[in-house]
Amino acid sequence: VALIGFMVAQALAERVARILAPPSAEDDESICVLVQAANGVGAGQRAGLAGRVDRGFDDMIRGAALGLAPEQALGWICLVGVLLGGGLFVWRGEWLLGLVGFLLGVGVITAFFLGLRHRLRLQIQDQLPDTLYLLARALRSGLNLEQSIDLVGQQGGQPTAAEFALCSRQIQLGLPLVIALETMARRIDLLDMRVFVSTVAVFQKSGGNLPLLLDRVAAGARDRNQFRGHLRSVTALGRVASLAIAAAPPVFLMVYLLARPEYTVAFFRSPVGWAIVAGAMLVELIGLLWIFRVLKIEY
């Protein structure tokens, strides 16, 4: 009920803001929208930390490639959390179990979106060297850069071709080439994509042999892909063991809450119990972050 009230109030506030906003006769509306998208600021988005959180959530949902709007994805997250938490509360009659179920449902569906986005980024990373080689061959055949990007969007491999097709449509609508590429790089958030965009930006200012530069960028991206694959293969056992160890405490806690609640409820009936549980969660979070930092090697 609180969520519905908040969404209704936000919709009314945005409608009033649009009615009271002064019209701008100087700028073309489509160009303004595209520039706002390139800068990561959309209509109704806030500035500061709240705006960064909004944009991060929007990028996560768009990166999942499910065709959901951020508002729809937030609705699914809340729905799964409420259903799981409400079901456990009705089953056991314990508000603590319902809270744990709600948090678990929210965490599972959020992890699902993050996993889809990570898988899409890995697919684009694997396809990026061949995509850059195709772009370089198109430039050598006599096409200009805009036509080459459109060709990659039509004949490249998915899902990378869809990103280049979107970039091509933005260029056709009037967005400058470098800004459209920077928008794509921010949306995908890959190191090799940022290197590609920087190379094109330098070429636009200084000139040079762009096909040769793209060949070198593609070779570097292929080397990084090979190194990343080797690293993932030699650390697979350690990563699986770390995930199993990290997942064991919350799984055991959930099992005891469902099967033997009298063993765990005592922890939440005194400040000392809350402090023990909070300390355990904090230590586990620090361990996970440390393992993630150790395994995150950039080549």
Side-chain angles (χ1 to χ4, degrees):
V1 172
L3 179 63
I4 293 175
F6 172 76
M7 294 176 66
V8 170
Q10 186 180 25
L12 292 176
E14 291 178 357
R15 181 175 179 83
V16 172
R18 286 196 299 268
I19 294 175
L20 297 179
S24 177
E26 301 176 357
D27 302 323
D28 186 356
E29 182 179 358
S30 61
I31 300 300
C32 290
V33 171
L34 289 173
V35 170
Q36 286 179 349
N39 294 328
V41 179
Q45 285 194 345
R46 297 168 288 181
L49 178 61
R52 289 196 296 271
V53 172
D54 290 342
R55 290 191 292 273
F57 183 79
D58 292 351
D59 292 340
M60 179 186 72
I61 300 305
R62 292 192 181 96
L66 291 176
L68 295 176
E71 294 81 5
Q72 293 173 318
L74 182 61
W76 277 107
I77 291 173
C78 295
L79 177 62
V80 173
V82 169
L83 288 178
L84 184 57
L88 293 176
F89 177 76
V90 171
W91 179 36
R92 285 289 186 177
E94 292 283 345
W95 68 269
L96 180 61
L97 185 60
L99 178 61
V100 172
F102 174 78
L103 296 177
L104 182 63
V106 170
V108 167
I109 193 68
T110 303
F112 173 72
F113 287 137
L114 286 173
L116 289 179
R117 180 175 184 267
H118 181 66
R119 186 185 67 176
L120 183 70
R121 291 176 69 243
L122 287 180
Q123 291 176 350
I124 294 176
Q125 179 67 45
D126 292 338
Q127 295 174 356
L128 192 57
D130 294 333
T131 300
L132 295 180
Y133 281 128
L134 175 61
L135 191 62
R137 290 195 296 268
L139 290 171
R140 288 191 178 97
S141 68
L143 301 178
N144 59 28
L145 188 53
E146 291 83 355
Q147 294 171 338
S148 301
I149 293 174
D150 184 64
L151 177 67
V152 171
Q154 295 177 5
Q155 301 183 8
Q158 297 294 341
T160 309
E163 298 293 338
F164 276 85
L166 177 59
C167 178
S168 176
R169 288 196 296 270
Q170 291 178 341
I171 295 173
Q172 292 172 6
L173 287 173
L175 193 66
L177 172 65
V178 176
I179 296 180
L181 291 175
E182 289 176 352
T183 304
M184 180 175 62
R186 186 187 63 82
R187 186 170 58 249
I188 298 175
D189 192 22
L190 290 174
L191 174 62
D192 293 314
M193 183 62 72
R194 293 195 294 269
V195 173
F196 159 64
V197 174
S198 299
T199 302
V200 174
V202 172
F203 170 77
Q204 291 284 327
K205 293 181 180 179
S206 305
N209 190 346
L210 184 58
L212 179 61
L213 294 175
L214 292 180
D215 285 341
R216 292 177 178 176
V217 173
R222 178 160 292 173
D223 290 341
R224 272 187 287 271
N225 287 348
Q226 293 175 352
F227 172 78
R228 191 176 294 109
H230 174 73
L231 179 65
R232 289 180 63 85
S233 64
V234 298
T235 60
L237 181 60
R239 286 186 286 109
V240 172
S242 301
L243 290 176
I245 294 173
V251 169
F252 286 155
L253 177 62
M254 197 66 186
V255 169
Y256 273 108
L257 281 173
L258 294 174
R260 293 289 187 270
E262 62 273 10
Y263 291 165
T264 54
V265 172
F267 279 99
F268 303 99
R269 290 179 177 171
S270 67
V272 177
W274 278 102
I276 292 174
V277 174
M281 294 176 60
L282 178 62
V283 171
E284 183 171 358
L285 180 61
I286 292 174
L288 283 173
L289 292 177
W290 177 258
I291 293 174
F292 177 76
R293 181 64 184 87
V294 168
L295 293 177
K296 187 177 181 181
I297 300 176
E298 294 293 343
Y299 170 69

